[in-house]
Amino acid sequence: AQSVTQPDIHITVSEGASLELRCNYSYGATPYLFWYVQSPGQGLQLLLKYFSGDTLVQGIKGFEAEFKRSQSSFNLRKPSVHWSDAAEYFCAVGPSYNTDKLIFGTGTRLQVFP
Amino acid sequence: EPEVTQTPSHQVTQMGQEVILRCVPISNHLYFYWYRQILGQKVEFLVSFYNNEISEKSEIFDDQFSVERPDGSNFTLKIRSTKLEDSAMYFCASTLRPSTDTQYFGPGTRLTVL
């Protein structure tokens, strides 16, 4: 069965520090992978996505993610975090040949200290 | 930029009452979805809808739930007799083509069942 694991429930970083949020997936074929961000009281905003091609994808707000098939990972990175990046980050996988649905991880809450 | 909208932003209801959550998907999109997020938990797929019928539903989507596209713009989720455990954030999403395009999410409706 398809699944997504985000091992870090809560991460705290200082403003200006680098960031890496981990995401591992279990999937039977080449996955479509997504990172969404949810600010408090807000909906889910797409940060970036991987469908095929270049394994390093660039997203909005200076984020990037790298698809590593050998490690079943799609980690999200940002070289220098801003206070406004404090939010919940969700990794998701899907759709596949027999389903449209996205399967989400449990999320990582990012806290940024000045 | 086009966006998915949802109303109301917050709905409070008594257990056993019917609620209707409303969504206006992006105008040229053809595939519509409902997801929910119980507080502190992951986002879960409920149902997908295409060509005026349900294309997939999860185990959560039992007989108490129904979806409808009553006109060319709205997409609704009805819960016939709410339970305490239906309290959650409900997200609507839409996409033009699920195999190649992103699912765009609305801001969500927070449903509180008392």
Side-chain angles (χ1 to χ4, degrees):
Chain A
Q2 302 156 13
S3 66
V4 177
T5 301
Q6 293 181 248
D8 305 305
I9 297 172
H10 189 193
I11 285 184
T12 302
V13 299
S14 298
E15 192 170 19
S18 63
L19 173 70
E20 182 169 29
L21 303 183
R22 295 183 290 166
C23 172
N24 293 95
Y25 65 88
S26 172
Y27 200 78
T30 302
Y32 294 165
L33 293 158
F34 306 83
W35 275 99
Y36 285 87
V37 61
Q38 183 182 31
S39 298
Q42 303 294 311
L44 296 164
Q45 181 183 23
L46 180 72
L47 281 177
L48 47 78
K49 63 187 178 187
Y50 171 78
F51 279 10
S52 65
D54 194 346
T55 56
L56 183 64
V57 293
Q58 303 296 320
I60 62 171
K61 304 185 180 186
F63 285 92
E64 67 177 27
E66 187 171 11
F67 169 57
K68 292 186 178 180
R69 186 189 301 276
S70 62
Q71 298 176 19
S72 298
S73 69
F74 188 57
N75 293 348
L76 181 71
R77 301 194 293 250
K78 186 169 184 177
S80 177
V81 171
H82 188 262
W83 64 266
S84 60
D85 293 325
E88 185 105 24
Y89 291 80
F90 292 94
C91 182
V93 66
S96 69
Y97 69 96
N98 62 348
T99 178
D100 291 353
K101 69 183 177 190
L102 297 181
I103 295 171
F104 286 83
T106 49
T108 297
R109 180 165 296 281
L110 174 66
Q111 198 168 5
V112 181
F113 281 113
Chain B
E1 184 177 327
E3 58 183 20
V4 177
T5 59
Q6 290 184 244
T7 55
S9 57
H10 191 188
Q11 173 96 43
V12 181
T13 189
Q14 295 290 326
M15 190 169 54
Q17 294 297 304
E18 174 183 287
V19 294
I20 297 176
L21 310 183
R22 290 182 167 79
C23 168
V24 179
I26 293 173
S27 61
N28 65 332
H29 284 184
L30 302 174
Y31 296 79
F32 314 111
Y33 309 86
W34 285 99
Y35 292 80
R36 80 171 185 190
Q37 183 185 29
I38 294 172
L39 189 64
Q41 298 186 25
K42 67 170 72 175
V43 177
E44 303 171 286
F45 168 80
L46 290 178
V47 65
S48 58
F49 190 85
Y50 169 71
N51 200 25
N52 272 323
E53 61 182 32
I54 291 173
S55 45
E56 186 180 0
K57 59 183 180 180
S58 71
E59 292 174 354
I60 304 165
F61 195 88
D62 61 22
D63 292 343
Q64 293 299 314
F65 291 88
S66 62
V67 289
E68 191 179 28
R69 188 155 163 82
D71 53 44
S73 59
N74 290 282
F75 179 51
T76 62
L77 173 69
K78 180 160 69 175
I79 309 175
R80 252 179 283 280
S81 178
T82 50
K83 308 184 188 77
L84 295 176
E85 54 264 37
D86 294 327
S87 294
M89 181 75 93
Y90 288 81
F91 293 106
C92 174
S94 70
T95 188
L96 181 58
R97 281 179 297 271
S99 59
T100 56
D101 296 327
T102 303
Q103 290 183 25
Y104 292 89
F105 284 78
T109 293
R110 179 162 296 285
L111 176 65
T112 302
V113 182
L114 303 176

